[in-house]
Amino acid sequence: MLAVDGGSPLLAGNGPAPWPQVLDADRKAVLDALDQATPWHWPMRTVTELEAAWAEFTGMPYVLAANSGTAALHMAIAAAGVEPGDEVLVPADTFLASASCVLQANAIPVFVDTDLATFNIDPARIEERITDRTRAVVAVDLNGLPADHDALRAVTDRHGLVLIEDASQAHGAEYRGRPVGSLGAMSGASLNGSKTLSALGEGGLFATRDEERHRLARRVLMFGEELPGQSRDYNARMMGWNYRIDVLAAAFARSQLTRLPEMSLVRQANGAALTRALEGVPGIRTPVVPEDRTHVYFFYPLLVRPEELGLDDLPVAAFRDALARAVNAEGLGIMRWQPQPVPGQTLFREMRGYGRGCPWSCGHARPGHHYDPAEYPVAEEVCLRRLVLGQSFSSFGPPNDTATMRRYADVLYKVLVEEREGLIALTRRTADSAR
């Protein structure tokens, strides 16, 4: 019997270990940073050590640590020379920050539909969205899988656009032998506590190969002022913010980065093991991983397929919600993520922006902008059918291992195969309650 119907939870007392994994080395790194934090100064040595380590890891010589991935992406947008009224192409299916960083420059996000196989931005749909106002493309490595950056770069180079990589969900993954964080002209990455490279709290990393873009990004980081390390003249040369990272978050992230390669191998093995274990289980589609890249499974996305269980007469949403409820009751954390394409969010549908419709109504943007999620049918379908494992609640990172993945698979097999009739009945009840 399903646990949701009164049966025994399959993972009772045997659930996954949480993420991030905190070792004594991480604790020592944070305490050492605490000891070094007075007298206060900027930049702290711990911060510059994190920047140097990410530069070495990615091969991007110019790195800035910031207080969030959102800040790092805004720094990249500004360093790309994006100005009010300019347009930046963004995936329709992503986290808000991939698009709101464009609004922070008083510029216009223009959305692009999704590749159904990889869930990343579809390179074949880029050119139809380019106008004479387009300045850059934000390519998100969604779920832990790099986007097709070579195909994207072919388009951006042809049109003279800046390719910005949003690496926030995929630290440690590789694309054609190149590490995530090095795949665009610039990259921004989150160090949010749940990420594959975690600061435990919040943090971010900006990286580039271009010294001038690094200089502009640093101005955005610190009040619009010129390079830290020189005597401050307290002269803002452009709009800047206080995007400096907390030193203790930087210390934790720096310690975690020393283990990122081995943690990434564990994640790759875990994801592959779960996919093998779920082969042939009806009602779900497991992730696709092209041969030219690796996946580190920040999320392990599943697309629900109720039609494979003969439930064509019931709404997909009812099956999705019933499956999530049943799996969670068995002790395995699964959830929806991004229930609609970003252009379907109220911010874009109502186009209020900063107020009075800016940036769309501020006189710099071309007329006629609107946002309708129906223009992105693949993203809509993904958002409708997607459930995710991973993040912090059903982690693919260590110390979880392939035995843990076997338990994940056992839950899904129980719900979708052994107790299928119970799941179907729950789906019908869910559909009835929604009417």
Side-chain angles (χ1 to χ4, degrees):
M1 180 184 293
L2 291 172
V4 72
D5 291 329
S8 298
L10 196 59
L11 296 190
N14 196 26
W19 181 261
Q21 181 187 30
V22 182
L23 303 184
D24 286 344
D26 304 317
R27 297 183 180 93
K28 183 178 184 304
V30 172
L31 290 174
D32 287 348
L34 184 64
D35 290 339
Q36 297 165 15
T38 56
W40 193 93
H41 59 282
W42 191 262
M44 300 284 191
R45 189 179 77 187
T46 302
V47 173
T48 59
E49 288 174 349
L50 172 62
E51 292 170 342
W54 188 242
E56 181 178 1
F57 187 86
T58 60
M60 299 283 264
Y62 301 106
V63 172
L64 294 168
N67 59 16
S68 68
T70 305
L73 288 170
H74 177 205
M75 289 156 62
I77 292 291
V82 174
E83 295 189 336
D86 289 345
E87 297 173 7
V88 177
L89 305 189
V90 180
D93 182 29
T94 184
F95 181 65
L96 173 67
S98 307
S100 62
C101 65
V102 180
L103 295 179
Q104 286 175 279
N106 216 26
I108 310 298
V110 174
F111 293 97
V112 180
D113 209 357
T114 301
D115 178 88
L116 184 58
T118 66
F119 305 130
N120 283 315
I121 191 170
D122 187 348
R125 306 301 300 270
I126 294 283
E127 287 189 295
E128 66 191 45
R129 310 298 283 179
I130 293 174
T131 73
D132 60 356
R133 301 290 188 93
T134 309
R135 299 292 177 263
V137 175
V138 175
V140 182
D141 304 318
L142 201 65
N143 302 311
L145 180 70
D148 190 350
H149 283 271
D150 284 357
L152 292 167
R153 182 171 292 281
V155 178
T156 57
D157 285 354
R158 187 159 59 245
H159 292 272
L161 307 177
V162 180
L163 181 60
I164 298 170
E165 181 188 13
D166 181 346
S168 296
Q169 294 188 0
H171 325 74
E174 293 185 350
Y175 172 81
R176 299 182 177 177
R178 308 194 302 270
V180 156
S182 71
L183 302 175
M186 290 175 282
S187 65
S190 171
L191 300 175
N192 169 272
S194 66
K195 296 300 194 295
T196 57
L197 177 60
S198 172
L200 195 60
E202 296 287 346
L205 292 164
F206 163 91
T208 183
R209 295 181 181 85
D210 186 280
E211 186 174 8
E212 176 63 13
R213 286 175 175 156
H214 174 257
R215 186 175 70 87
L216 292 173
R218 194 185 289 272
R219 284 182 175 179
V220 177
L221 175 85
M222 192 165 172
F223 305 107
E225 296 178 20
E226 202 43 271
L227 294 174
Q230 303 173 356
S231 297
R232 287 180 67 179
D233 60 4
Y234 295 90
N235 176 28
R237 292 159 176 83
M238 59 185 286
M239 276 295 295
W241 282 257
N242 181 6
Y243 280 164
R244 293 175 291 187
I245 191 172
D246 177 83
V247 65
L248 302 184
F252 187 86
R254 173 67 187 95
S255 180
Q256 291 270 305
L257 181 52
T258 64
R259 304 195 303 278
L260 182 59
E262 62 193 73
M263 294 191 298
S264 300
L265 290 175
V266 170
R267 288 177 171 276
Q268 293 167 37
N270 283 343
L274 182 57
T275 296
R276 288 193 301 271
L278 294 176
E279 185 176 357
V281 173
I284 52 174
R285 194 204 92 176
T286 54
V288 173
V289 184
E291 292 183 358
D292 62 357
R293 66 203 81 171
T294 62
H295 201 315
V296 291
Y297 301 99
F298 172 69
F299 285 131
Y300 185 95
L302 294 165
L303 295 189
V304 301
R305 291 176 165 174
E307 56 273 13
E308 294 181 355
L309 302 182
L311 298 178
D312 306 70
D313 60 320
L314 293 175
V316 170
F319 177 75
R320 178 201 66 217
D321 292 348
L323 178 62
R325 185 179 170 196
V327 168
N328 278 300
E330 299 295 337
L332 177 61
I334 195 169
M335 70 173 192
R336 295 189 72 189
W337 182 78
Q338 299 303 316
Q340 60 186 338
V342 176
Q345 294 190 27
T346 302
L347 169 64
F348 295 100
R349 295 297 295 272
E350 296 185 357
M351 294 175 63
R352 294 181 182 177
Y354 296 102
R356 299 181 179 175
C358 288
W360 299 278
S361 64
C362 287
H364 296 288
R366 64 178 173 88
H369 284 287
H370 73 285
Y371 296 98
D372 180 359
E375 294 181 4
Y376 314 95
V378 179
E380 275 205 312
E381 190 72 5
V382 170
C383 291
L384 171 65
R385 292 177 178 266
R386 177 174 52 207
L387 293 172
V388 296
L389 301 167
Q391 205 186 41
S392 300
F393 51 88
S394 47
S395 171
F396 282 65
N400 299 310
D401 55 16
T402 56
T404 313
M405 298 303 110
R406 181 67 259 177
R407 295 197 293 275
Y408 289 8
D410 287 344
V411 168
L412 289 161
Y413 189 84
K414 174 183 176 180
V415 172
L416 287 161
V417 179
E418 293 175 344
E419 301 294 341
R420 183 179 301 167
E421 293 306 314
L423 176 63
I424 291 172
L426 179 60
T427 300
R428 296 192 183 281
R429 296 198 301 271
T430 303
D432 288 343
S433 66
R435 292 193 178 105

